[in-house]
Amino acid sequence: MKYKFIKGLCLSCIAVWAVSCNEKKEEPAAVVVDKEQIKKDIQAREDEFASVYNAGEMKSIGYYAD
């Protein structure tokens, strides 16, 4: 009798644990990235850097980080 009670209790605990672990988690919203805009921004930086470099100016355009 005592063995059946312990066995039932253990099975109940395992069942509760299994159900609680399968909780559905919310996924974060997807971030939309405009790749074409990023390409345009990078190209504008490259063009600005090339013009400053070719002009021989010692001007900081923020191209590189410190």
Side-chain angles (χ1 to χ4, degrees), residues 1-65:
M1 177 88 177
K2 185 176 181 182
Y3 177 71
K4 288 183 180 181
F5 174 74
I6 292 174
K7 184 178 176 182
L9 182 63
C10 288
L11 289 175
S12 298
C13 289
I14 291 172
V16 168
W17 175 73
V19 170
S20 67
C21 289
N22 291 331
E23 187 176 310
K24 187 172 183 177
K25 297 177 182 168
E26 293 182 24
E27 295 182 17
V31 177
V32 178
V33 177
D34 186 5
K35 291 181 182 180
E36 293 303 317
Q37 183 60 41
I38 292 173
K39 287 179 184 178
K40 290 177 185 176
D41 292 343
I42 292 172
Q43 189 60 51
R45 282 277 182 161
E46 292 289 333
D47 294 342
E48 181 183 8
F49 178 78
S51 66
V52 169
Y53 183 81
N54 290 332
E57 297 176 24
M58 296 298 292
K59 173 182 160 185
S60 175
I61 60 171
Y63 192 76
Y64 294 105

